[in-house]
Amino acid sequence: MYLEHLSLTDFRSYAQVELALEPGVTVLVGSNGIGKTNLMEAIGYLATLSSHRVSSDGPLLRFGMDRALVRARLVRGGQTVVLELEINASRANRGRINRSNPVRARDLLGICQTVLFAPEDLALVKGDPANRRRFLDELLVSLVPHHSATRSDYDRVLKQRNALLKSARAGRFTAGHEATLDVWDQHMARAGAELLHARLELVDRLRPHLAKAYGQLTDGSKEADAVYRSTLQNLMDDGGAPELGAGGAKDVGDIGIGDKPAGSEDLLLLSVDELTERYVRAFQASRRKELERGISLVGPHRDELELVLGEAPAKGYASHGETWSMCLSLRLASYYVMLDDARTGGSAPILILDDVFAELDVQRRRKLAAIVSGAEQVLVTAAVDADIPEELSGRRVKVIPGGIDE
């Protein structure tokens, strides 16, 4: 799959811009702040419905405008697909596929697939767990678009359940509220189990690719791995109830793929129904603490993807160079997983490297360039040509204020 044409209207700094593209390597060169990243951000947003730079849609609209348009013409397996995405300030975003009637924006998910490397990726290692959960969920939705609904369902139920718990903390909790909480426990257990099950399967697929990618980028003296740590209590007594310690329920947190203490269950082996059952028990065991704090303490929203380098966590222990290698390896692992799917009927993703080479030493530049150079389409941004390794020879496009200089 490759992107043949991109058109933006009132997106970020562009009132209107047209960019013709082709398979292979295209390097967009221009001064810092000129708008190169805005072009790459638009492509990434079309693929994931989220930005790698901001958490809300507002900044994507050109200042003073109430909507922006992203149009793209893709070539997939010899067939052309035209996607249009309308980003709105005051109503739901809408999309079109091949100029058909408007559809929900999320109906576009899975058609344009990208893997985007950017300086912001440092947060995958150095940032809080929310960054790593977002990484997993965005990749999950790219691979299986219906998981967008899985994640939305969980977020909706979590919001309702938290509202009920906050009411209890404020002293307005009654017997009727407790019965309502039991109902929300069931809803959240099911939604959480579906999301957890999907994440666990994805991490299981990512782990060997992560190790491979890190070995490709470094001298191989350390091995990279990832451990999914779930808040789900699964240390149970013989009767099937959660074990209790001095403070009530045994603290959750800590069983995951790649790290299985003696006697614990491997969550990956459990079905969605079994995970649902365990969540219900975990909610019951942690209810007192949740009522005291007015927030849900158990669920995928509090899980962690721990990145491991050698024997130590990458966060806090990896050097700056090792941190960059781990970030790049996560993105490459995503690319390899998508390639696995492409071999069974999917599409190879577009690779986007946004101002990445300026952040890397010469050795990492050359290794990364050699790995990605064979992709069907690679889009690179740089302030100067000198930042681009020789391995990425290809078409050069000059970005100027407000547009493209062909």
Side-chain angles (χ1 to χ4, degrees):
M1 177 182 68
Y2 64 92
L3 179 60
E4 189 174 55
H5 193 89
L6 176 71
S7 173
L8 303 181
T9 302
D10 292 329
F11 185 92
R12 287 284 193 179
S13 59
Y14 294 103
Q16 181 69 43
V17 66
E18 306 288 333
L19 175 61
L21 295 165
E22 57 192 34
V25 177
T26 298
V27 179
L28 284 75
V29 182
S31 303
N32 289 328
I34 207 80
K36 305 182 304 295
T37 293
N38 296 345
L39 296 167
M40 301 301 100
E41 181 182 27
I43 301 170
Y45 191 93
L46 190 65
T48 65
L49 301 186
S50 65
S51 163
H52 68 289
R53 302 161 74 192
V54 293
S55 58
S56 64
D57 288 351
L60 304 181
L61 309 182
R62 194 163 65 93
F63 186 73
M65 299 294 105
D66 60 5
R67 72 167 189 167
L69 294 175
V70 179
R71 301 181 184 90
R73 186 166 67 244
L74 298 158
V75 179
R76 292 164 47 103
Q79 294 185 329
T80 298
V81 180
V82 176
L83 300 182
E84 300 178 40
L85 181 62
E86 181 182 288
I87 305 170
N88 294 298
S90 57
R91 57 184 175 131
N93 297 341
R94 300 188 301 174
R96 292 178 188 267
I97 303 171
N98 290 330
R99 298 185 174 87
S100 63
N101 292 329
V103 295
R104 297 172 303 177
R106 76 182 192 191
D107 290 335
L108 273 60
L109 289 168
I111 299 175
C112 176
Q113 291 191 318
T114 64
V115 175
L116 193 155
F117 301 74
E120 289 83 358
D121 285 345
L122 282 177
L124 293 176
V125 174
K126 301 177 76 171
D128 61 39
N131 293 288
R132 293 176 285 280
R133 291 193 296 265
R134 179 183 175 186
F135 162 77
L136 283 179
D137 290 345
E138 286 187 353
L139 177 56
L140 187 64
V141 170
S142 293
L143 294 167
V144 187
H146 79 74
H147 281 310
S148 172
T150 303
R151 187 171 61 172
S152 296
D153 288 346
Y154 180 77
D155 290 344
R156 176 182 56 80
V157 174
L158 174 63
K159 183 178 180 179
Q160 294 288 343
R161 190 172 185 271
N162 279 344
L164 190 59
L165 290 169
K166 286 176 183 176
S167 294
R169 192 182 186 202
R172 298 190 298 271
F173 197 69
T174 66
H177 284 100
E178 185 151 5
T180 303
L181 185 56
D182 287 338
V183 173
W184 283 114
D185 282 358
Q186 294 290 335
H187 289 313
M188 186 159 150
R190 186 68 190 186
E194 290 176 354
L195 182 56
L196 175 61
H197 190 267
R199 284 183 182 175
L200 291 171
E201 288 189 334
L202 178 57
V203 173
D204 193 49
R205 294 184 64 188
L206 275 172
R207 291 180 64 211
H209 290 307
L210 177 62
K212 170 188 171 182
Y214 194 84
Q216 290 175 317
L217 289 169
T218 66
D219 60 9
S221 60
K222 292 183 180 179
E223 186 171 331
D225 201 358
V227 179
Y228 190 94
R229 298 195 179 278
S230 171
T231 54
L232 180 62
Q233 279 181 266
N234 69 346
L235 293 181
M236 302 289 179
D237 63 25
D238 292 338
E243 291 182 352
L244 298 180
K250 188 185 291 289
D251 277 348
V252 295
D254 305 325
I255 309 302
I257 296 178
D259 180 33
K260 300 183 281 293
S264 72
E265 295 176 283
D266 187 341
L267 296 179
L268 183 62
L269 301 178
L270 302 181
S271 68
V272 171
D273 287 343
E274 290 169 324
L275 291 171
T276 299
E277 179 186 341
R278 280 156 178 75
Y279 268 130
V280 170
R281 290 190 227 159
F283 295 152
Q284 292 171 349
S286 58
R287 178 166 291 188
R288 180 178 61 81
K289 287 185 178 180
E290 290 187 329
L291 289 171
E292 289 173 354
R293 296 180 59 179
I295 193 169
S296 298
L297 299 175
V298 181
H301 65 290
R302 293 177 68 92
D303 290 355
E304 164 71 295
L305 179 68
E306 183 181 20
L307 304 174
V308 181
L309 193 55
E311 297 182 352
K315 184 176 182 178
Y317 289 88
S319 68
H320 183 70
E322 289 173 334
T323 298
W324 258 116
S325 293
M326 179 64 85
C327 296
L328 295 171
S329 297
L330 277 172
R331 294 301 183 189
L332 284 172
S334 303
Y335 173 55
Y336 292 146
V337 168
M338 289 184 178
L339 285 183
D340 287 344
D341 280 9
R343 296 185 186 101
T344 58
S347 298
I350 300 164
L351 295 187
I352 301 173
L353 290 84
D354 180 33
D355 278 335
V356 168
F357 288 109
E359 306 285 343
L360 305 178
D361 58 40
V362 173
Q363 182 182 26
R364 285 183 176 84
R365 285 183 187 181
R366 299 198 66 177
K367 287 185 175 182
L368 177 60
I371 293 169
V372 305
S373 60
E376 184 172 5
Q377 187 172 50
V378 185
L379 306 178
V380 185
T381 67
V384 293
D385 264 325
D387 287 343
I388 306 301
E390 294 178 0
E391 289 83 353
L392 285 179
S393 60
R395 178 183 173 219
R396 295 302 195 261
V397 175
K398 186 176 182 181
V399 182
I400 59 175
I404 303 295
D405 183 2
E406 293 287 357

